């Protein structure tokens, strides 16, 4: 999956216009608006937006996306959820950039829909999905992997580190898969895995390395800049080339390039990816 991860980084770097800046603002606003609409017109009036494999096969293709905009709760609980996931989404967007975060969120929406279709084809069960539960879960796991020691207060009272909340969610997630597998519903067991496949792809390079190994590496190695430059100069036509997006100092003379001190060996990255790439480990 490393190659696929790198391909996604390259695609996002080369197509920044596909980004939706501030995506979570729109998601939160539509969720709130649909909840307000359901208060007046009744919750059942939103059924035409829910993900329903049987209806999708009858041509109602908008359901592949619109289900993610439906609120899954109401009142104070909805407010807390919207605030929490807005915070997660904004943080990830600032860390990755709008293009990569948009890709992550939209791919999660489409993968959940694909998982529902798979469950329908395998088990013959037409699961009606309301809301972006798995999309939000993938976003939560992404934040917890990136900031494991960040503190969050449950219901504004109990402080808990993100890594422990993620561990509990992972156990609950695994229990759901196990329950469906034991019951013989293999399509339903695969649904959660397919739904958060974007998380596994984006963080595949990290799964091969334990957190203890990363911490045990100690101080970052010193980069011998002149030696690194000489190695890059051996390559014809340019001195520096970003290993993520492939841009060079010849094609982009105004772009700054740096060498990562956390990677093993000499690996060059542009100013956009020096803090946003998968580290090379020996």
């Amino acid at each position: 999956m490393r190659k696929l991860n790198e391909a996604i980084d390259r695609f996002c770097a080369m197509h920044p216009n596909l980004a939706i800046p501030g995506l979570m603002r729109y998601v939160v606003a539509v969720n709130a608006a649909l909840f307000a609409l359901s208060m007046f017109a009744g919750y059942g009036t939103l059924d035409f937006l829910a993900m329903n494999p049987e209806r999708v096969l009858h041509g109602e293709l908008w359901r592949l996306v619109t289900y993610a905009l439906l609120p899954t709760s109401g009142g104070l609980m909805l407010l807390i959820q919207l605030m929490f996931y807005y915070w997660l989404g904004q943080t990830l967007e600032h860390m990755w950039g709008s293009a990569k975060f948009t890709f992550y969120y939209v791919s999660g929406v489409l993968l959940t829909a694909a998982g529902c279709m798979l469950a329908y084809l395998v088990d013959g069960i037409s699961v009606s999905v309301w809301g972006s539960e798995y999309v939000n879960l993938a976003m939560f796991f992404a934040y917890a992997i990136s900031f494991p020691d960040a503190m969050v207060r449950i219901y504004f009272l109990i402080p808990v580190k993100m890594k422990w909340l993620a561990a509990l969610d992972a156990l609950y997630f695994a229990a759901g898969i196990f329950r469906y597998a034991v019951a013989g519903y293999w399509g339903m067991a695969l649904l959660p895995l397919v739904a958060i496949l974007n998380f596994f792809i984006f963080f595949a390079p990290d799964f091969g390395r334990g957190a203890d190994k990363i911490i045990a590496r100690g101080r970052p190695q010193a980069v011998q800049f002149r030696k690194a430059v000489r190695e890059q100069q051996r390559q014809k036509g340019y001195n520096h080339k970003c290993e993520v997006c492939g841009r060079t100092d010849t094609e982009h003379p105004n772009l700054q390039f740096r060498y990562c001190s956390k990677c093993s060996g000499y690996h060059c990255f542009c100013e956009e990816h020096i803090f946003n790439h998968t580290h090379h480990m020996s």
Side-chain angles (χ1 to χ4, degrees):
M1 286 190 180
R2 178 186 291 270
K3 293 293 184 181
L4 182 56
N5 182 279
E6 293 175 353
I8 291 173
D9 281 341
R10 193 174 300 110
F11 176 84
C12 293
M14 296 176 64
H15 300 87
N17 294 332
L18 296 180
I20 305 176
L23 174 61
M24 288 306 296
R25 287 200 300 268
Y26 303 111
V27 173
V28 167
V30 174
N31 264 261
L34 290 177
F35 173 72
L37 176 63
S38 68
M39 293 282 289
F40 293 99
Y43 210 61
T45 59
L46 303 179
D47 184 65
F48 75 100
L49 298 175
M51 174 59 201
N52 186 304
E54 196 170 11
R55 301 311 306 168
V56 168
L57 293 177
H58 282 81
E60 299 179 7
L61 300 181
W62 65 83
R63 293 176 180 267
L64 295 171
V65 176
T66 56
Y67 77 90
L69 302 174
L70 292 172
T72 55
S73 58
L76 180 60
M77 181 59 68
L78 176 63
L79 177 62
I80 293 174
Q81 286 179 351
L82 293 182
M83 290 174 58
F84 181 64
Y85 289 111
Y86 173 78
W87 169 60
L88 293 183
Q90 285 291 94
T91 304
L92 291 174
E93 183 175 350
H94 290 155
M95 180 178 69
W96 286 339
S98 296
K100 188 171 181 178
F101 177 72
T102 300
F103 190 98
Y104 189 76
Y105 195 91
V106 173
S107 65
V109 171
L110 297 178
L111 284 169
T112 300
C116 291
M117 298 301 297
L118 178 64
Y120 177 68
L121 295 175
V122 174
D123 297 331
I125 300 175
S126 183
V127 182
S128 185
V129 176
W130 288 63
S132 51
E133 177 185 355
Y134 289 123
V135 181
N136 290 337
L137 182 62
M139 194 163 59
F140 173 73
F141 281 155
Y143 186 95
I145 287 288
S146 303
F147 307 99
D149 293 319
M151 299 293 293
V152 62
R153 291 184 179 273
I154 302 177
Y155 299 113
F156 305 103
L157 297 174
I158 308 172
V160 181
K161 288 186 176 182
M162 292 294 289
K163 60 184 177 183
W164 302 125
L165 281 180
L168 289 175
D169 269 355
L171 288 174
Y172 179 77
F173 179 79
I177 295 174
F178 178 77
R179 185 170 61 251
Y180 281 120
V182 169
Y185 294 109
W186 297 105
M188 291 297 295
L190 289 173
L191 167 57
L193 293 174
V194 174
I196 67 167
L197 187 60
N198 57 336
F199 167 72
F200 295 116
I201 293 173
F202 270 60
F203 290 92
D206 297 327
F207 296 148
R209 307 183 301 267
D212 292 339
K213 181 179 178 181
I214 296 176
I215 296 173
R217 290 185 61 84
R219 296 180 179 179
Q221 63 179 5
V223 174
Q224 300 178 15
F225 184 77
R226 292 182 179 178
K227 183 178 179 181
V229 170
R230 287 197 298 270
E231 287 196 11
Q232 285 284 15
Q233 286 175 338
R234 294 175 185 173
Q235 304 179 60
K236 186 177 179 181
Y238 56 83
N239 293 328
H240 309 296
K241 180 179 179 181
C242 177
E243 295 192 11
V244 175
C245 62
R247 289 182 290 184
T248 67
D249 58 346
T250 302
E251 298 169 344
H252 303 273
N254 296 324
L255 196 63
Q256 295 185 6
F257 293 83
R258 297 286 186 270
Y259 291 84
C260 180
S261 61
K262 295 183 179 180
C263 291
S264 297
Y266 302 100
H267 299 277
C268 183
F269 302 94
C270 68
E271 58 191 35
E272 295 180 9
H273 295 107
I274 185 61
F275 299 115
N276 183 19
H277 65 270
T278 301
H279 295 301
H280 295 265
M281 301 299 179
S282 57

